[in-house]
Amino acid sequence: MPLSKGHKEKTRTTILTSAADLFREHGFDGVGINDIMAKAGLTRGGFYAHFKSKADLFANVLNMEPAFNRMLAERQTGSREAAQNGALDVLATYLDPDNINYVTATCPMVSLARDVDKAGPPGRVALSKVITDLIALFKNGMAGANAQQLDARALSILALSIGGVTMARTADNPALAAKILNACESQAQRLLTE
């Protein structure tokens, strides 16, 4: 008897979640398909019903964060002012020192970027889509300037955010981490609202 679409989607989500945890913990090269399927409570034979390769799975992990995708969809509709307020909320949440562990564990730009080259073209394409979506999110909230200037400001915001989290998570004390994140948020807000 064929499996229902709901069952197949649930199985796919289980594999993605298991893979995301293992890729973050061990890196792309440190995890095999057998490891991923065992963590998911499934046999290796079912893997290829959902993904073409480990690189394909990695690319899907980069694009799987449902909260991120929902947030992007919500923030890219409405007025420029609403988009700007949404982008400011995203920055405040992302760069909040109290959220550093959550961001480190869930943001593909922080937790998985180091392995993109190892995953090859599918990983680069997936991460490029995340970058492009974030640039659009920030640009929708900006006023004035030409498209090239908006792109530069949006890229700067993205670099400040990801770089800030990356630096803060390696800081040896919470006060220094908070200082880094607060400085990055201040500069990113300025770029967004100028």
Side-chain angles (χ1 to χ4, degrees):
M1 174 173 2
L3 297 174
S4 71
K5 184 177 179 176
H7 178 78
K8 186 171 181 172
E9 196 55 42
K10 183 178 176 187
T11 301
R12 179 180 167 82
T13 300
T14 300
I15 295 168
L16 282 166
T17 303
S18 298
D21 291 345
L22 290 171
F23 285 143
R24 285 183 177 104
E25 186 176 346
H26 302 288
F28 183 81
D29 288 338
V31 176
I33 293 171
N34 289 341
D35 303 317
I36 293 164
M37 296 304 281
K39 182 171 175 68
L42 302 164
T43 61
R44 181 185 175 102
F47 177 83
Y48 293 100
H50 301 278
F51 304 99
K52 293 182 265 187
S53 64
K54 187 170 89 167
D56 177 45
L57 172 62
F58 185 82
N60 278 271
V61 165
L62 290 172
N63 286 314
M64 74 173 244
E65 183 58 49
F68 172 74
N69 293 327
R70 235 183 353 267
M71 178 267 306
L72 283 175
E74 291 169 1
R75 302 296 194 243
Q76 293 188 21
T77 59
S79 69
R80 185 195 59 77
E81 184 178 325
Q84 185 177 81
N85 288 335
L88 288 168
D89 287 345
V90 168
L91 288 172
T93 301
Y94 191 85
L95 295 170
D96 183 337
D98 291 336
N99 292 339
I100 189 81
N101 291 331
Y102 176 76
V103 169
T104 297
T106 60
C107 176
M109 301 294 293
V110 173
S111 63
L112 297 173
R114 71 182 182 270
D115 286 322
V116 167
D117 282 338
K118 295 173 185 174
R124 284 191 291 281
V125 168
L127 199 58
S128 293
K129 182 185 180 319
V130 172
I131 292 168
T132 302
D133 289 346
L134 286 167
I135 290 168
L137 169 74
F138 294 128
K139 282 175 59 175
N140 285 343
M142 293 179 188
N146 64 41
Q148 189 174 10
Q149 290 169 333
L150 291 176
D151 279 346
R153 284 170 43 200
L155 283 165
S156 296
I157 291 168
L158 189 55
L160 278 165
S161 300
I162 296 161
V165 168
T166 301
M167 287 176 59
R169 68 186 262 232
T170 62
D172 66 346
N173 68 68
L176 178 58
K179 191 174 183 177
I180 292 166
L181 292 171
N182 291 333
C184 290
E185 182 181 4
S186 175
Q187 290 304 309
Q189 287 175 342
R190 183 187 61 73
L191 287 165
L192 187 64
T193 58
E194 68 181 20

